[in-house]
Amino acid sequence: MRTFAGISTSNGFVRGPVFLYRGQGELPIVEYVVENGKEEEELLRLRRAREEAKKDVEGLIKVLEDRGNEESKIFESHLMFLDDPWLQELTEKRIRVDRLNAEAAVKKVIAEQRAIFARMNDEYFKERVRDIDDVERRLLTSLSGFERTLKFELKAPSIIVADDLTPSETVQLDRKFVLGIATNGGSKTSHVALLARALAIPAVTGLKDITEHVHPGEEVLLDGTNGLVTIRPTKEALEKFDELLNRQRTLLEEDKDNKVAGSLKDGGEILLYANIHPGVPVEGLKEVGARGVGLYRSEYLWLNREGVPSEEDQFEAYSEAARIASSLSEKGSITIRALDIGGDKLVRGISKTENNPFLGNRSIRYLLTHREVMKTQLRAILRASAYGDVWMMYPMVSCVEELREAALVMEEVKRELTEEGKSFNKNIKVGAMIEVPSAAINAEAICRHVDFVSIGTNDLIQYTMAADRSNEDVAHLYQPTNPAVLKLIKMTIDAAKKVGIPVGVCGESAADPIMGVLWVAMGVDMLSMSGTYIPLMSRMFKNLSRAELDDYAATIAALPDDSSAEEILAACRKWMEKAIPKLDDLLLL
């Protein structure tokens, strides 16, 4: 027996036979110098291949849309790559100037783009390498005439074990035969991960070399909750795993009986919302109990584009998302975060090199210094507000002056739309994200200028502790329970309550069973998270009452001032274990 540890990507337990997928392998492309005077012929080959690849992608999108599959949006970014004038120019330059054949030109330019994405700290952007790989293969197969059909011949329920899966490979999976997914590469933001979570398929990524140790058809145990895959399990291991499977089935049955997500055992209710962004499957949000969309990451519309998406592009995306949110509940709202770029979120043609981009011209600062970009986005958001209960918020607010300036731009845009006769909600709710210490310390003043605030714990912790959570050397300082972090969050909550506006949390800690419950105990009104975590958080709350939550907050507040982050976290865990005796069972899924 051997157990491989990877990244917990989609929760759940499953056992079954291996379907070992080796991938398609690298296409045998030959590089050569184009004869002098034949460059135009080579350019024509490239353009024809691009059109052929676009038709393939458009056909795939149509098939998926006809099936009602949300993952069709994944391939819209592929069309953006193929239509990108900057990439076209670079590739054609390789042919005209370097006189490379079209296949070699494509490979070199794509390799350069792959390297750019791979250097980014943001996991989502890193994972877009798989999109680039997919586009490259389509172009090369069109140019070289290789077999273009991908085939997954799943004939029985299986656990797919692969090096990694491209988007094109992922969407071909026959859902009724996919028990689970285990891959050498990938992360929580890969297309495999997004699809697995959307479909509630247990998955583990980042297993490094598991494909070298398994054989087709042999039974494996996949623990998506803890990120473990066991091969050649012993009889004892199988018996223990079967116990987990039985407890999992019991939990799933109990979830079906829990009619309202976020219900407390004394009848109170906690509002649980979903975080989404363009290109992510959203099917199943209603089933898991999402009340609406608490964070729509608009910056992903800028991904893979040269410059700024048009007002119509943005309006189409926002209005569609508003309709989706409206369908989730009677008062299903959507909160669109204004363009949040900078730091490690770089957009080609927009982002500039800065000595310290995390402390530079990012987020609301960027918008205020690029008024046309800001106005275009505000126009699209306002127009989308005619199609649902749309809220919008500014990221990285650090002072009141930014909100005053932003309000003037908003009023200007409203006047323009009114003069044009465009429909929009004149009373759209505008909020601020509390992500830096200055905003938390001055939260009461900020709250007087907005309709709501949302705490972005990811950045607030990072900026408070001056520790980059993606830097392994200082990751231990990324501490949600650090006393300084807790004080800033409490200051923000108290300020919002005093002014009389709602306060939410949309950072990763909202989906943490210990921290998410603590934020609510401290007074947070709503939590927003990946939809797959809503059942887990709902499970926590239905075992607690408002009185118990008040006791939780009081217990942690009473800890000594010099308590360490580890000591506070241990106290949180101890309280939760006492309040919910079957806590470990509830954390299974």
Side-chain angles (χ1 to χ4, degrees), residues 290-523:
R291 300 297 298 274
V293 174
L295 173 63
Y296 180 89
R297 299 182 176 98
S298 69
E299 62 269 18
Y300 292 106
L301 283 174
W302 274 252
L303 181 64
N304 302 336
R305 290 178 185 263
E306 173 66 18
V308 180
S310 69
E311 179 182 330
E312 290 306 314
D313 288 337
Q314 294 184 59
F315 165 68
E316 183 178 336
Y318 303 153
S319 56
E320 179 187 6
R323 284 190 287 266
I324 291 171
S326 297
S327 70
L328 297 179
S329 67
E330 185 178 348
K331 296 182 179 179
S333 63
I334 179 171
T335 299
I336 299 174
R337 179 171 67 188
L339 179 61
D340 186 17
I341 62 167
D344 56 4
K345 295 176 184 173
L346 306 178
V347 178
R348 190 174 63 245
I350 294 180
S351 300
K352 294 183 178 179
T353 301
E354 297 180 276
N355 290 333
N356 194 336
F358 284 94
L359 302 181
N361 191 26
R362 58 175 303 192
S363 308
I364 191 172
R365 304 168 185 178
Y366 177 89
L367 290 171
L368 292 173
T369 53
H370 294 78
R371 292 299 177 88
E372 287 309 309
V373 174
M374 184 178 186
K375 288 179 65 177
T376 297
Q377 183 170 38
L378 290 182
R379 284 176 61 90
I381 292 173
L382 283 168
R383 288 174 57 198
S385 69
Y387 294 84
D389 187 9
V390 174
W391 301 20
M392 70 86 59
M393 63 182 174
Y394 295 108
M396 285 293 293
V397 172
S398 58
C399 57
V400 167
E401 292 89 329
E402 291 170 337
L403 291 173
R404 287 176 176 156
E405 195 174 348
L408 292 175
V409 180
M410 174 69 85
E411 288 307 310
E412 181 183 347
V413 171
K414 286 182 176 180
R415 284 195 300 272
E416 290 177 358
L417 291 175
T418 300
E419 291 171 1
E420 295 169 18
K422 300 283 176 62
S423 298
F424 65 93
N425 178 9
K426 294 180 174 58
N427 298 311
I428 187 172
K429 287 183 170 61
V430 177
M433 288 195 71
I434 306 299
E435 302 175 271
V436 295
S438 65
I441 293 169
N442 201 30
E444 187 174 332
I446 284 176
C447 287
R448 288 197 293 268
H449 287 267
V450 292
D451 300 303
F452 67 97
V453 289
S454 185
I455 303 172
T457 53
N458 300 359
D459 272 333
L460 182 60
I461 296 167
Q462 184 167 249
Y463 282 110
T464 301
M465 301 303 298
D468 180 356
R469 60 193 174 125
S470 65
N471 184 334
E472 293 181 3
D473 293 332
V474 296
H476 65 284
L477 291 173
Y478 185 81
Q479 302 168 335
T481 52
N482 185 280
V485 174
L486 294 180
K487 286 178 183 177
L488 291 174
I489 289 176
K490 186 65 166 67
M491 290 171 68
T492 302
I493 293 170
D494 290 346
K497 299 299 181 187
K498 184 175 181 180
V499 175
I501 63 172
V503 54
V505 170
C506 61
E508 287 181 9
S509 66
D512 184 285
I514 304 295
M515 299 312 303
V517 174
L518 179 61
W519 304 145
V520 172
M522 291 171 63

Side-chain angles (χ1 to χ4, degrees), residues 82-146:
L82 290 166
D83 281 331
D84 191 321
W86 189 67
L87 289 180
Q88 291 178 30
E89 181 182 340
L90 287 177
T91 311
E92 292 181 3
K93 184 178 179 181
R94 289 281 189 175
I95 295 173
R96 283 198 177 95
V97 178
D98 301 337
R99 288 174 49 202
L100 285 178
N101 58 308
E103 293 91 337
V106 166
K107 281 189 72 69
K108 287 188 179 296
V109 171
I110 292 293
E112 292 166 359
Q113 299 308 305
R114 188 183 289 114
I116 291 172
F117 277 91
R119 286 196 299 268
M120 294 182 178
N121 287 329
D122 188 289
E123 283 299 324
Y124 181 87
F125 283 84
K126 278 185 178 180
E127 284 297 339
R128 301 296 66 79
V129 168
R130 303 304 289 153
D131 293 280
I132 297 173
D133 291 344
D134 222 337
V135 170
E136 177 187 44
R137 190 169 190 92
R138 286 187 185 279
L139 282 172
L140 293 179
T141 52
S142 295
L143 281 166
S144 307
F146 290 111

